[in-house]
Amino acid sequence: GAGVSQSPSNKVTEKGKDVELRCDPISGHTALYWYRQSLGQGLEFLIYFQGNSAPDKSGLPSDRFSAERTGGSVSTLTIQRTQQEDSAVYLCASSPRTGLNTEAFFGQGTRLTVV
Amino acid sequence: KNEVEQSPQNLTAQEGEFITINCSYSVGISALHWLQQHPGGGIVSLFMLSSGKKKHGRLIATINIQEKHSSLHITASHPRDSAVYICALAGENKLVFGAGTILRVKS
């Protein structure tokens, strides 16, 4: 696609429910990243994919969070048994390759509200 | 201490003013990103630089690797420049972000 696409753009869910957030990276981009931006806080890293594998998932805050990537393309971030502290904007970014000096392209984000 | 420190946290300017946002960091890096985030919007990459200076339109970014410091300048600022500006260090597998500078340009 022309850019990184995330869906849904907004999601309101009840505490305790599971949610799935989707990211469609730019076609051909090898690297895919999930970040989170909580209200009033900066961006924090969640997980990184190189192809379909996740060499670095150190930022996932708890075992309620998981992510997968299939076909080297679409990624899904799943949050189980959501809590109010999970409310945040979840941002996905992709890069054409891995490495230190590679530009990142961001999606518009999914705003998750847990009520 | 955060690896990335931005200043100022908030900045209000009059249209036409020259604006500088600073970013200092404490670790060795090979590249630094400047990002822009509009209210309710996604993030746009403005610059990625590893040395010297880059210019795009009214935006200029500089970096001094030895001093571990980067600056983002906006010349002839305009209300549409109002946004959050974020510097980010390029790590091995991820970006490490500063807290951001909230810029408001008044007409």
Side-chain angles (χ1 to χ4, degrees), chain A residues 33 35 37 42-45 48 55-56 58 91 99-109 111, chain B residues 30-31 33 35 37 40-46 48 50 86 90-95 97-99:
Chain A
Y33 309 82
Y35 298 96
Q37 188 174 35
L43 285 146
E44 59 175 329
F45 167 80
Y48 150 69
D56 188 347
S58 62
L91 286 152
L100 296 173
N101 296 337
T102 306
E103 188 175 0
F105 297 82
F106 286 82
Q108 291 293 309
R111 182 175 298 276
Chain B
S30 62
H33 296 246
L35 309 169
Q37 186 175 33
I43 292 175
V44 174
S45 177
L46 299 175
M48 182 184 68
S50 55
I86 304 166
E92 183 67 37
N93 297 322
K94 62 194 173 193
L95 295 175
F97 299 91

Side-chain angles (χ1 to χ4, degrees), chain B residues 55-80:
Chain B
K55 184 176 189 291
H56 184 246
R58 295 180 294 105
L59 301 177
I60 303 167
T62 63
I63 189 168
N64 185 318
I65 295 291
Q66 288 73 32
E67 294 186 3
K68 294 186 169 58
H69 182 269
S70 178
S71 293
L72 176 69
H73 306 284
I74 305 175
T75 62
S77 60
H78 190 276
R80 65 175 174 267

